[in-house]
Amino acid sequence: MQNASVLLVERDPERRRSLGFGLTAEGYEVVPTVDEAEAVRFADALAPSVVVAPAALAAGPIAVIGSRSGPDAPTMLYLGDDEEEAESLPSEALFVATAGLDDARLVRRIRLALVALQVGVEPDYDLKALVGDFAHTPPLDLVRRLRVAGASGRVSLEGGGLVLRDGEVIAASVGPVRGVKAFCRLARRVDGAFRVELGDDGLPPREMLEEFDSLVAAAIEDAVGELPEPRSRYEVRLGPSLFSQPFSTLQQQILGEIHGGARAGELLDSIPVPDSRVARELEELVARGVLARTEALPAVTVITDSTADLPAELVRAHQIEMVPLTVLFGETRYVDREELEPARFYELLERGEEHPSTRPPEPSRFAFEFHRRLQRQDVVSVHISEKMSQTVVHARQAASDPAMRELTRLTGETPRIEVVDSGQVSLPLGLLALFAARLAERDLDAVEIGRRLREIGGRITTLFVVDTLEYLARGGRIGKAKAWLGGLMGIKPILGVQEGEVVPVSRVRGRRAALPRLIELAGERLDAERPVLGGIAHANAPARADRLRELLVERFSVAELYVTEMGPVVGTHVGPGCVGATLFQPDSEELELLGPRPGAAASA
């Protein structure tokens, strides 16, 4: 990283020399100082990027440096023997427990903090990796920034990843797909957690020879146009058109992959060119009468609302329909997730000019969504708790409309609508919608899906930590936690959802103690030896979400775990910094019905 400076405060001359030489060798400007007074003088003159100092000095004059604001404010990185020393540090400060670390490994941790500044992505809890969400840092932006930093390492994400050496992409994978095709798929991601581990150790040989600009051009071209629904089925039409027309090499390859019918997802995976090219050729072959396409729809479609906070990849893969709520900043209205994405929302929230409010969808919106699907499928509509929003009430109103009840399909069947109050919000609701879609894919009917969702909803464990109860209080969603308002300086409340409303569960002093305590509470409710399905949701707090993921995987037998960001509606009521876990422990039959299919990615 060029032009980055490190102000190093270290009394021990040997360590000061070792750390200084190590960071200088990495290309950084290092200013070593002996004590606090000298550090403050140099900080005033040099405006360092990072200040590295012992945690014992955090309460002295060094704190003045850390309290500065603005674009030139330095990142404070404190060193201490163990985690206990971190409890009294400011929440925005970084901390490294040095016990067991030699100076070379400590240099790598400091370097990661510097790369984090350059790339614009947070370091994780232990300064071992960078963590973020594609909603804030789109994939191509992330790769560009890592290239500028000359980074080597791995980018891991749900279902795939990238490998870089000296800033160049040398490998990419998504499920069974590798190379340029995988890179293009990753570039399409609009949200989802990622983790960047830096270093040359263990990197594979170069698999991709394409230059960076060529990869970007391929990804941009691939992003144009819609892809077929993965479960659509294609069959070859036997007839004169099949034998009388010329076919390109790619078209011949597509036809060769279709043996008695093939799903679109299978075709996209098996043909090693970017997906958009395959999709265009499929459409041309359909238009020429060579292929027939049929939609493979389950008998039941699942509708939820935009508070579900499911990753976009899951929504698309399972054909879940999202009905958006509305977010208002003063007189300005935004349609959740359509006109206002999480990154923009948290920017507006940080400005603090006006506190947002939210509105449920109107019954007419639900009536429209129900009507256009009931002509072909039954509907399960699962929504945010009625105690938190009128969304499910409006869905019921639409479902009970006489025009909806009198609707009859051409087959003479009477459509069925099951409206379910999840008793939940955010990712717990999202998991119920995901479970409903998987039950539909396994041919359960709407009534049975609704019954199972109502039973499962009461068994979901939801625990979350907020930085402050202020946002919940403003929105009137604080429930039984209202008694904790006031007099909680330094206390972090751990909350849950019970009978459809927010309830207090526990509280701890200090931000770092909150997540271990949340895991303890989850351990009291779940059997650590049995499989768990779940997820983590956060409000613009990827590093805390990553730490919670690590703790959950250490404690429980995780069969599936998604990491996602809370959207504008939920973020309005919990505020930035919130992070929570949603966990469900199925029995063996439920695990077969609700869990991921073999071969699917199990965790982020």
Side-chain angles (χ1 to χ4, degrees), residues 432 439 444 447-457 459 587 589-590 593-594:
L432 286 175
L439 292 171
L444 276 70
V447 174
E448 177 62 9
I449 293 172
R451 183 192 70 79
R452 285 180 178 262
L453 293 185
R454 294 181 183 96
E455 193 273 331
I456 290 169
R459 292 163 53 203
D587 59 34
E589 183 224 10
E590 289 171 332
L593 287 170
L594 304 176

Side-chain angles (χ1 to χ4, degrees), residues 6 18-30 107 110-111 114:
V6 180
S18 177
L19 296 181
F21 283 159
L23 290 167
T24 300
E26 294 285 354
Y28 303 115
E29 178 187 349
V30 181
V107 165
I110 299 170
R111 178 178 182 268
L114 288 158

Side-chain angles (χ1 to χ4, degrees), residues 34 40 218 236 249 264:
V34 175
V40 171
V236 176
T249 301

Side-chain angles (χ1 to χ4, degrees), residues 92-177:
E92 67 274 9
L94 303 178
F95 176 80
V96 175
T98 58
L101 286 182
D102 58 26
D103 288 348
R105 284 190 291 172
L106 184 53
V107 165
R108 287 200 291 271
R109 302 286 176 90
I110 299 170
R111 178 178 182 268
L112 185 119
L114 288 158
V115 174
L117 289 175
Q118 184 178 13
V119 176
V121 176
E122 288 186 49
D124 71 357
Y125 184 82
D126 295 315
L127 268 75
K128 293 180 180 178
L130 308 180
V131 292
D133 194 288
F134 288 135
H136 293 262
T137 311
L140 290 182
D141 283 354
L142 175 65
V143 175
R144 283 193 185 99
R145 296 176 192 181
L146 291 171
R147 183 170 184 263
V148 170
S152 296
R154 301 174 185 271
V155 180
S156 304
L157 55 139
E158 178 67 36
L162 299 168
V163 182
L164 299 99
R165 181 177 287 120
D166 299 327
E168 296 296 329
V169 178
I170 64 170
S173 64
V174 177
V177 175

Side-chain angles (χ1 to χ4, degrees), residues 1 24 41 172 184-185 250 253 275 286 369 471 517 531 534 574 582:
M1 175 177 167
T24 300
R41 288 198 303 274
C184 292
R185 282 194 182 180
L250 179 54
Q253 190 174 3
D275 291 337
V286 169
E369 298 294 342
Y471 291 91
R517 177 57 179 154
V574 298
T582 298

